[in-house]
Amino acid sequence: MKMSQFDVAPGRPLWLTTLADLSLLLVGFFVFLHAAQMVDRKALTAGIRAGFDADAAPMTLDRGIVDGFATGSSAMPASYARTVEFVRTAAADPRVMVTLTGGTAGDVDPLTGSAAILASDRARTVATALVADGAVQPDQLALAPPATGTRGVQIDLGFAGDRQAVADRQVPVAPPAYGADR
């Protein structure tokens, strides 16, 4: 009698092979859990980001917009004045990053015919004005790729600092003094 390739070998029930596979997976999972407790989380996170060529993305705290740009223009609109204080207040903390995303609403740069160039010019105009007015430091600024849908510059204020450990924020508890007051 000839065995087909899907027949089980004599003496080895199929459920035993499945049980062995599941057991090995379970052991591997527990080894991974144990190893993950002893790893430097910052180094692991940095390694993963480096592997994917990704920078740390700031956690968004607040958003604003500078709108009112004229069609095809990157000249600063009059509505900019209230934005300065909005950014200045948040960017007083050096851990806050300001990300600017220029946008177009179907309009294009008159010289090049490019919406992306116009959106980038608008973002650079706002960035230059924020630095000139002292609302933000240059190292706190980042320009995002251009967007469409709005004729303005979106301002994202994001926290880019290190998280403070819970143990660092807690008041240390002194052990009870034995024999002092009973």
Side-chain angles (χ1 to χ4, degrees):
M1 178 172 158
K2 184 176 180 183
M3 288 179 46
S4 72
Q5 72 183 50
F6 297 109
D7 286 343
V8 179
R12 278 192 237 158
L14 187 58
W15 65 267
L16 186 61
T17 305
T18 304
L19 179 65
D21 288 342
L22 290 174
S23 300
L24 284 175
L25 286 172
L26 189 61
V27 167
F29 176 70
F30 283 118
V31 168
F32 175 75
L33 283 179
H34 183 67
Q37 291 176 353
M38 298 178 197
V39 77
D40 181 13
R41 293 181 191 271
K42 288 184 181 180
L44 177 64
T45 304
I48 291 172
R49 285 193 181 123
F52 287 102
D53 293 329
D55 293 328
M59 180 176 66
T60 301
L61 299 172
D62 204 354
R63 286 193 170 146
I65 191 163
V66 176
D67 55 359
F69 284 92
T71 303
S73 172
S74 62
M76 188 63 72
S79 65
Y80 167 74
R82 60 190 159 160
T83 306
V84 175
E85 288 309 313
F86 165 72
V87 174
R88 185 187 319 265
T89 303
D93 184 349
R95 299 174 296 176
V96 172
M97 286 293 296
V98 179
T99 305
L100 303 174
T101 307
T104 59
D107 53 337
V108 295
D109 183 57
L111 297 175
T112 62
S114 171
I117 290 176
L118 179 61
S120 297
D121 286 346
R122 288 175 176 166
R124 281 197 327 258
T125 300
V126 172
T128 303
L130 287 172
V131 171
D133 289 340
V136 67
Q137 297 298 318
D139 60 341
Q140 289 178 287
L141 278 175
L143 297 178
T148 57
T150 180
R151 185 177 293 141
V153 176
Q154 180 176 327
I155 301 171
D156 289 324
L157 302 172
F159 180 77
D162 291 333
R163 287 178 38 165
Q164 185 179 10
V166 174
D168 294 343
R169 294 190 307 254
Q170 293 177 343
V171 177
V173 178
Y178 292 104
D181 277 338
R182 287 199 173 198

mmCIF file of all heavy atoms in Angstrom, residues 41-84:
data_model
loop_
_atom_site.group_PDB
_atom_site.id
_atom_site.type_symbol
_atom_site.label_atom_id
_atom_site.label_comp_id
_atom_site.label_asym_id
_atom_site.label_seq_id
_atom_site.Cartn_x
_atom_site.Cartn_y
_atom_site.Cartn_z
ATOM 1 N N ARG A 41 14.476 50.474 26.741
ATOM 2 C CA ARG A 41 13.374 50.844 25.847
ATOM 3 C C ARG A 41 13.745 52.000 24.914
ATOM 4 O O ARG A 41 13.328 52.029 23.766
ATOM 5 C CB ARG A 41 12.132 51.179 26.656
ATOM 6 C CG ARG A 41 11.580 49.962 27.375
ATOM 7 C CD ARG A 41 10.336 50.293 28.157
ATOM 8 N NE ARG A 41 9.948 49.225 29.035
ATOM 9 C CZ ARG A 41 9.149 48.231 28.699
ATOM 10 N NH1 ARG A 41 8.652 48.176 27.496
ATOM 11 N NH2 ARG A 41 8.846 47.292 29.564
ATOM 12 N N LYS A 42 14.528 52.959 25.402
ATOM 13 C CA LYS A 42 14.928 54.074 24.535
ATOM 14 C C LYS A 42 15.813 53.582 23.400
ATOM 15 O O LYS A 42 15.682 54.014 22.263
ATOM 16 C CB LYS A 42 15.645 55.143 25.350
ATOM 17 C CG LYS A 42 14.733 55.919 26.255
ATOM 18 C CD LYS A 42 15.481 57.030 26.961
ATOM 19 C CE LYS A 42 14.540 57.778 27.884
ATOM 20 N NZ LYS A 42 15.209 58.863 28.580
ATOM 21 N N ALA A 43 16.731 52.666 23.724
ATOM 22 C CA ALA A 43 17.623 52.127 22.689
ATOM 23 C C ALA A 43 16.826 51.293 21.681
ATOM 24 O O ALA A 43 17.078 51.365 20.478
ATOM 25 C CB ALA A 43 18.722 51.281 23.320
ATOM 26 N N LEU A 44 15.859 50.513 22.173
ATOM 27 C CA LEU A 44 15.033 49.714 21.274
ATOM 28 C C LEU A 44 14.212 50.614 20.354
ATOM 29 O O LEU A 44 14.146 50.392 19.139
ATOM 30 C CB LEU A 44 14.109 48.796 22.072
ATOM 31 C CG LEU A 44 13.145 47.946 21.243
ATOM 32 C CD1 LEU A 44 13.910 46.974 20.361
ATOM 33 C CD2 LEU A 44 12.186 47.207 22.153
ATOM 34 N N THR A 45 13.597 51.653 20.922
ATOM 35 C CA THR A 45 12.807 52.586 20.118
ATOM 36 C C THR A 45 13.678 53.288 19.081
ATOM 37 O O THR A 45 13.292 53.424 17.925
ATOM 38 C CB THR A 45 12.129 53.618 21.028
ATOM 39 O OG1 THR A 45 11.350 52.930 22.001
ATOM 40 C CG2 THR A 45 11.241 54.553 20.241
ATOM 41 N N ALA A 46 14.869 53.724 19.500
ATOM 42 C CA ALA A 46 15.781 54.389 18.564
ATOM 43 C C ALA A 46 16.212 53.426 17.457
ATOM 44 O O ALA A 46 16.325 53.826 16.291
ATOM 45 C CB ALA A 46 16.994 54.928 19.302
ATOM 46 N N GLY A 47 16.441 52.170 17.793
ATOM 47 C CA GLY A 47 16.827 51.183 16.794
ATOM 48 C C GLY A 47 15.730 50.918 15.783
ATOM 49 O O GLY A 47 15.981 50.791 14.589
ATOM 50 N N ILE A 48 14.495 50.840 16.263
ATOM 51 C CA ILE A 48 13.363 50.627 15.348
ATOM 52 C C ILE A 48 13.196 51.831 14.432
ATOM 53 O O ILE A 48 12.992 51.681 13.223
ATOM 54 C CB ILE A 48 12.082 50.339 16.147
ATOM 55 C CG1 ILE A 48 12.181 48.972 16.830
ATOM 56 C CG2 ILE A 48 10.856 50.389 15.239
ATOM 57 C CD1 ILE A 48 11.068 48.679 17.798
ATOM 58 N N ARG A 49 13.283 53.027 14.997
ATOM 59 C CA ARG A 49 13.165 54.233 14.158
ATOM 60 C C ARG A 49 14.277 54.300 13.125
ATOM 61 O O ARG A 49 14.055 54.680 11.983
ATOM 62 C CB ARG A 49 13.183 55.476 15.038
ATOM 63 C CG ARG A 49 11.891 55.689 15.761
ATOM 64 C CD ARG A 49 11.823 57.073 16.374
ATOM 65 N NE ARG A 49 10.571 57.214 17.074
ATOM 66 C CZ ARG A 49 10.464 57.527 18.348
ATOM 67 N NH1 ARG A 49 11.537 57.761 19.058
ATOM 68 N NH2 ARG A 49 9.290 57.638 18.921
ATOM 69 N N ALA A 50 15.505 53.936 13.537
ATOM 70 C CA ALA A 50 16.626 53.960 12.593
ATOM 71 C C ALA A 50 16.419 52.926 11.494
ATOM 72 O O ALA A 50 16.764 53.163 10.337
ATOM 73 C CB ALA A 50 17.935 53.704 13.329
ATOM 74 N N GLY A 51 15.863 51.781 11.844
ATOM 75 C CA GLY A 51 15.604 50.740 10.853
ATOM 76 C C GLY A 51 14.597 51.157 9.801
ATOM 77 O O GLY A 51 14.658 50.735 8.653
ATOM 78 N N PHE A 52 13.666 52.005 10.179
ATOM 79 C CA PHE A 52 12.653 52.478 9.242
ATOM 80 C C PHE A 52 12.942 53.893 8.750
ATOM 81 O O PHE A 52 12.104 54.510 8.108
ATOM 82 C CB PHE A 52 11.266 52.437 9.891
ATOM 83 C CG PHE A 52 10.730 51.051 10.045
ATOM 84 C CD1 PHE A 52 10.765 50.419 11.273
ATOM 85 C CD2 PHE A 52 10.204 50.374 8.966
ATOM 86 C CE1 PHE A 52 10.276 49.136 11.424
ATOM 87 C CE2 PHE A 52 9.712 49.086 9.101
ATOM 88 C CZ PHE A 52 9.755 48.470 10.331
ATOM 89 N N ASP A 53 14.110 54.434 9.081
ATOM 90 C CA ASP A 53 14.493 55.799 8.693
ATOM 91 C C ASP A 53 13.445 56.809 9.117
ATOM 92 O O ASP A 53 13.047 57.686 8.350
ATOM 93 C CB ASP A 53 14.727 55.913 7.184
ATOM 94 C CG ASP A 53 15.939 55.116 6.730
ATOM 95 O OD1 ASP A 53 16.879 54.998 7.540
ATOM 96 O OD2 ASP A 53 15.950 54.628 5.597
ATOM 97 N N ALA A 54 12.974 56.690 10.352
ATOM 98 C CA ALA A 54 11.923 57.577 10.844
ATOM 99 C C ALA A 54 12.454 58.427 11.992
ATOM 100 O O ALA A 54 13.241 57.967 12.803
ATOM 101 C CB ALA A 54 10.724 56.763 11.322
ATOM 102 N N ASP A 55 12.033 59.661 12.020
ATOM 103 C CA ASP A 55 12.341 60.551 13.132
ATOM 104 C C ASP A 55 11.222 60.446 14.152
ATOM 105 O O ASP A 55 10.107 60.029 13.841
ATOM 106 C CB ASP A 55 12.443 62.002 12.652
ATOM 107 C CG ASP A 55 13.635 62.199 11.732
ATOM 108 O OD1 ASP A 55 14.649 61.506 11.921
ATOM 109 O OD2 ASP A 55 13.544 63.039 10.822
ATOM 110 N N ALA A 56 11.545 60.854 15.355
ATOM 111 C CA ALA A 56 10.526 60.852 16.402
ATOM 112 C C ALA A 56 9.461 61.883 16.054
ATOM 113 O O ALA A 56 9.764 63.050 15.825
ATOM 114 C CB ALA A 56 11.156 61.178 17.746
ATOM 115 N N ALA A 57 8.231 61.457 16.000
ATOM 116 C CA ALA A 57 7.135 62.366 15.685
ATOM 117 C C ALA A 57 6.640 63.019 16.963
ATOM 118 O O ALA A 57 6.347 62.328 17.930
ATOM 119 C CB ALA A 57 6.007 61.613 15.015
ATOM 120 N N PRO A 58 6.581 64.337 16.987
ATOM 121 C CA PRO A 58 6.082 64.995 18.193
ATOM 122 C C PRO A 58 4.602 64.689 18.421
ATOM 123 O O PRO A 58 3.829 64.581 17.481
ATOM 124 C CB PRO A 58 6.270 66.479 17.910
ATOM 125 C CG PRO A 58 7.032 66.597 16.654
ATOM 126 C CD PRO A 58 6.995 65.278 15.972
ATOM 127 N N MET A 59 4.239 64.559 19.676
ATOM 128 C CA MET A 59 2.847 64.321 20.038
ATOM 129 C C MET A 59 2.109 65.660 19.961
ATOM 130 O O MET A 59 2.475 66.611 20.641
ATOM 131 C CB MET A 59 2.777 63.750 21.458
ATOM 132 C CG MET A 59 1.380 63.462 21.917
ATOM 133 S SD MET A 59 1.338 62.683 23.548
ATOM 134 C CE MET A 59 1.974 63.991 24.566
ATOM 135 N N THR A 60 1.087 65.752 19.129
ATOM 136 C CA THR A 60 0.382 67.010 18.904
ATOM 137 C C THR A 60 -0.357 67.459 20.155
ATOM 138 O O THR A 60 -1.101 66.698 20.752
ATOM 139 C CB THR A 60 -0.602 66.873 17.737
ATOM 140 O OG1 THR A 60 0.135 66.502 16.570
ATOM 141 C CG2 THR A 60 -1.330 68.171 17.474
ATOM 142 N N LEU A 61 -0.111 68.709 20.541
ATOM 143 C CA LEU A 61 -0.781 69.306 21.691
ATOM 144 C C LEU A 61 -1.906 70.244 21.272
ATOM 145 O O LEU A 61 -2.964 70.270 21.874
ATOM 146 C CB LEU A 61 0.218 70.109 22.530
ATOM 147 C CG LEU A 61 1.391 69.349 23.129
ATOM 148 C CD1 LEU A 61 2.366 70.325 23.759
ATOM 149 C CD2 LEU A 61 0.908 68.355 24.141
ATOM 150 N N ASP A 62 -1.637 71.027 20.244
ATOM 151 C CA ASP A 62 -2.607 72.022 19.811
ATOM 152 C C ASP A 62 -2.370 72.334 18.344
ATOM 153 O O ASP A 62 -1.289 72.083 17.816
ATOM 154 C CB ASP A 62 -2.460 73.291 20.653
ATOM 155 C CG ASP A 62 -3.733 74.117 20.702
ATOM 156 O OD1 ASP A 62 -4.698 73.768 19.997
ATOM 157 O OD2 ASP A 62 -3.767 75.101 21.457
ATOM 158 N N ARG A 63 -3.385 72.904 17.715
ATOM 159 C CA ARG A 63 -3.281 73.260 16.301
ATOM 160 C C ARG A 63 -3.830 74.650 16.081
ATOM 161 O O ARG A 63 -4.735 75.089 16.775
ATOM 162 C CB ARG A 63 -4.073 72.281 15.435
ATOM 163 C CG ARG A 63 -3.424 70.954 15.302
ATOM 164 C CD ARG A 63 -4.060 70.153 14.207
ATOM 165 N NE ARG A 63 -3.227 68.988 13.967
ATOM 166 C CZ ARG A 63 -3.686 67.827 13.614
ATOM 167 N NH1 ARG A 63 -4.967 67.654 13.432
ATOM 168 N NH2 ARG A 63 -2.872 66.830 13.411
ATOM 169 N N GLY A 64 -3.273 75.309 15.098
ATOM 170 C CA GLY A 64 -3.752 76.610 14.688
ATOM 171 C C GLY A 64 -3.580 76.741 13.190
ATOM 172 O O GLY A 64 -3.041 75.852 12.529
ATOM 173 N N ILE A 65 -4.046 77.849 12.652
ATOM 174 C CA ILE A 65 -3.921 78.057 11.210
ATOM 175 C C ILE A 65 -3.746 79.537 10.932
ATOM 176 O O ILE A 65 -4.308 80.388 11.610
ATOM 177 C CB ILE A 65 -5.138 77.486 10.445
ATOM 178 C CG1 ILE A 65 -4.861 77.472 8.943
ATOM 179 C CG2 ILE A 65 -6.398 78.243 10.763
ATOM 180 C CD1 ILE A 65 -5.787 76.590 8.155
ATOM 181 N N VAL A 66 -2.922 79.815 9.961
ATOM 182 C CA VAL A 66 -2.799 81.167 9.420
ATOM 183 C C VAL A 66 -3.488 81.109 8.070
ATOM 184 O O VAL A 66 -3.012 80.463 7.143
ATOM 185 C CB VAL A 66 -1.324 81.587 9.260
ATOM 186 C CG1 VAL A 66 -1.230 82.953 8.616
ATOM 187 C CG2 VAL A 66 -0.601 81.559 10.580
ATOM 188 N N ASP A 67 -4.652 81.744 7.973
ATOM 189 C CA ASP A 67 -5.381 81.715 6.710
ATOM 190 C C ASP A 67 -5.535 83.137 6.182
ATOM 191 O O ASP A 67 -5.100 84.086 6.795
ATOM 192 C CB ASP A 67 -6.733 81.025 6.857
ATOM 193 C CG ASP A 67 -7.584 81.639 7.955
ATOM 194 O OD1 ASP A 67 -7.118 82.594 8.611
ATOM 195 O OD2 ASP A 67 -8.703 81.162 8.171
ATOM 196 N N GLY A 68 -6.132 83.242 5.050
ATOM 197 C CA GLY A 68 -6.334 84.562 4.452
ATOM 198 C C GLY A 68 -5.300 84.932 3.412
ATOM 199 O O GLY A 68 -5.195 86.103 3.031
ATOM 200 N N PHE A 69 -4.499 83.956 2.966
ATOM 201 C CA PHE A 69 -3.533 84.239 1.894
ATOM 202 C C PHE A 69 -4.295 84.555 0.613
ATOM 203 O O PHE A 69 -5.300 83.914 0.301
ATOM 204 C CB PHE A 69 -2.617 83.033 1.650
ATOM 205 C CG PHE A 69 -1.546 82.853 2.684
ATOM 206 C CD1 PHE A 69 -1.758 82.047 3.787
ATOM 207 C CD2 PHE A 69 -0.324 83.487 2.549
ATOM 208 C CE1 PHE A 69 -0.780 81.863 4.732
ATOM 209 C CE2 PHE A 69 0.667 83.312 3.496
ATOM 210 C CZ PHE A 69 0.434 82.503 4.596
ATOM 211 N N ALA A 70 -3.821 85.522 -0.125
ATOM 212 C CA ALA A 70 -4.435 85.860 -1.407
ATOM 213 C C ALA A 70 -4.148 84.743 -2.409
ATOM 214 O O ALA A 70 -3.163 84.014 -2.288
ATOM 215 C CB ALA A 70 -3.880 87.184 -1.930
ATOM 216 N N THR A 71 -5.001 84.612 -3.397
ATOM 217 C CA THR A 71 -4.833 83.572 -4.410
ATOM 218 C C THR A 71 -3.496 83.739 -5.116
ATOM 219 O O THR A 71 -3.175 84.816 -5.613
ATOM 220 C CB THR A 71 -5.969 83.638 -5.441
ATOM 221 O OG1 THR A 71 -7.216 83.521 -4.750
ATOM 222 C CG2 THR A 71 -5.855 82.529 -6.463
ATOM 223 N N GLY A 72 -2.693 82.646 -5.125
ATOM 224 C CA GLY A 72 -1.398 82.661 -5.803
ATOM 225 C C GLY A 72 -0.326 83.456 -5.088
ATOM 226 O O GLY A 72 0.726 83.711 -5.660
ATOM 227 N N SER A 73 -0.550 83.854 -3.849
ATOM 228 C CA SER A 73 0.399 84.694 -3.135
ATOM 229 C C SER A 73 0.874 84.018 -1.853
ATOM 230 O O SER A 73 0.141 83.282 -1.207
ATOM 231 C CB SER A 73 -0.252 86.030 -2.773
ATOM 232 O OG SER A 73 0.592 86.771 -1.933
ATOM 233 N N SER A 74 2.127 84.318 -1.486
ATOM 234 C CA SER A 74 2.651 83.843 -0.208
ATOM 235 C C SER A 74 2.922 85.012 0.731
ATOM 236 O O SER A 74 3.626 84.854 1.727
ATOM 237 C CB SER A 74 3.927 83.021 -0.429
ATOM 238 O OG SER A 74 4.935 83.828 -1.010
ATOM 239 N N ALA A 75 2.360 86.197 0.412
ATOM 240 C CA ALA A 75 2.522 87.370 1.280
ATOM 241 C C ALA A 75 1.719 87.156 2.563
ATOM 242 O O ALA A 75 0.609 86.628 2.543
ATOM 243 C CB ALA A 75 2.054 88.633 0.565
ATOM 244 N N MET A 76 2.291 87.565 3.689
ATOM 245 C CA MET A 76 1.674 87.344 4.996
ATOM 246 C C MET A 76 0.333 88.067 5.091
ATOM 247 O O MET A 76 0.247 89.261 4.846
ATOM 248 C CB MET A 76 2.615 87.845 6.095
ATOM 249 C CG MET A 76 2.160 87.479 7.472
ATOM 250 S SD MET A 76 2.095 85.715 7.768
ATOM 251 C CE MET A 76 3.818 85.355 7.845
ATOM 252 N N PRO A 77 -0.733 87.349 5.478
ATOM 253 C CA PRO A 77 -2.041 87.989 5.624
ATOM 254 C C PRO A 77 -2.117 88.793 6.926
ATOM 255 O O PRO A 77 -1.307 88.628 7.833
ATOM 256 C CB PRO A 77 -3.010 86.812 5.651
ATOM 257 C CG PRO A 77 -2.198 85.665 6.125
ATOM 258 C CD PRO A 77 -0.801 85.909 5.665
ATOM 259 N N ALA A 78 -3.114 89.630 7.031
ATOM 260 C CA ALA A 78 -3.285 90.487 8.208
ATOM 261 C C ALA A 78 -3.684 89.676 9.440
ATOM 262 O O ALA A 78 -3.447 90.103 10.564
ATOM 263 C CB ALA A 78 -4.340 91.554 7.922
ATOM 264 N N SER A 79 -4.254 88.510 9.268
ATOM 265 C CA SER A 79 -4.717 87.699 10.397
ATOM 266 C C SER A 79 -3.572 87.026 11.150
ATOM 267 O O SER A 79 -3.806 86.269 12.081
ATOM 268 C CB SER A 79 -5.693 86.629 9.909
ATOM 269 O OG SER A 79 -5.020 85.714 9.054
ATOM 270 N N TYR A 80 -2.344 87.339 10.780
ATOM 271 C CA TYR A 80 -1.180 86.679 11.377
ATOM 272 C C TYR A 80 -0.908 87.123 12.811
ATOM 273 O O TYR A 80 -0.402 86.346 13.611
ATOM 274 C CB TYR A 80 0.046 86.942 10.500
ATOM 275 C CG TYR A 80 1.342 86.589 11.159
ATOM 276 C CD1 TYR A 80 1.706 85.255 11.316
ATOM 277 C CD2 TYR A 80 2.193 87.561 11.653
ATOM 278 C CE1 TYR A 80 2.884 84.912 11.936
ATOM 279 C CE2 TYR A 80 3.369 87.221 12.270
ATOM 280 C CZ TYR A 80 3.723 85.905 12.415
ATOM 281 O OH TYR A 80 4.878 85.566 13.036
ATOM 282 N N ALA A 81 -1.269 88.335 13.172
ATOM 283 C CA ALA A 81 -0.893 88.903 14.462
ATOM 284 C C ALA A 81 -1.342 88.056 15.648
ATOM 285 O O ALA A 81 -0.604 87.868 16.611
ATOM 286 C CB ALA A 81 -1.433 90.318 14.588
ATOM 287 N N ARG A 82 -2.535 87.509 15.612
ATOM 288 C CA ARG A 82 -3.021 86.721 16.752
ATOM 289 C C ARG A 82 -2.317 85.376 16.846
ATOM 290 O O ARG A 82 -2.308 84.742 17.896
ATOM 291 C CB ARG A 82 -4.524 86.545 16.671
ATOM 292 C CG ARG A 82 -4.970 85.845 15.428
ATOM 293 C CD ARG A 82 -6.437 85.886 15.239
ATOM 294 N NE ARG A 82 -6.666 85.651 13.814
ATOM 295 C CZ ARG A 82 -7.764 85.260 13.304
ATOM 296 N NH1 ARG A 82 -8.795 85.090 14.069
ATOM 297 N NH2 ARG A 82 -7.879 85.060 12.020
ATOM 298 N N THR A 83 -1.716 84.922 15.769
ATOM 299 C CA THR A 83 -1.005 83.644 15.766
ATOM 300 C C THR A 83 0.296 83.726 16.542
ATOM 301 O O THR A 83 0.716 82.752 17.163
ATOM 302 C CB THR A 83 -0.720 83.211 14.316
ATOM 303 O OG1 THR A 83 -1.946 83.205 13.594
ATOM 304 C CG2 THR A 83 -0.096 81.845 14.258
ATOM 305 N N VAL A 84 0.936 84.889 16.542
ATOM 306 C CA VAL A 84 2.228 85.048 17.207
ATOM 307 C C VAL A 84 2.124 84.710 18.690
ATOM 308 O O VAL A 84 2.918 83.937 19.225
ATOM 309 C CB VAL A 84 2.785 86.474 17.009
ATOM 310 C CG1 VAL A 84 4.055 86.674 17.810
ATOM 311 C CG2 VAL A 84 3.034 86.744 15.542
#
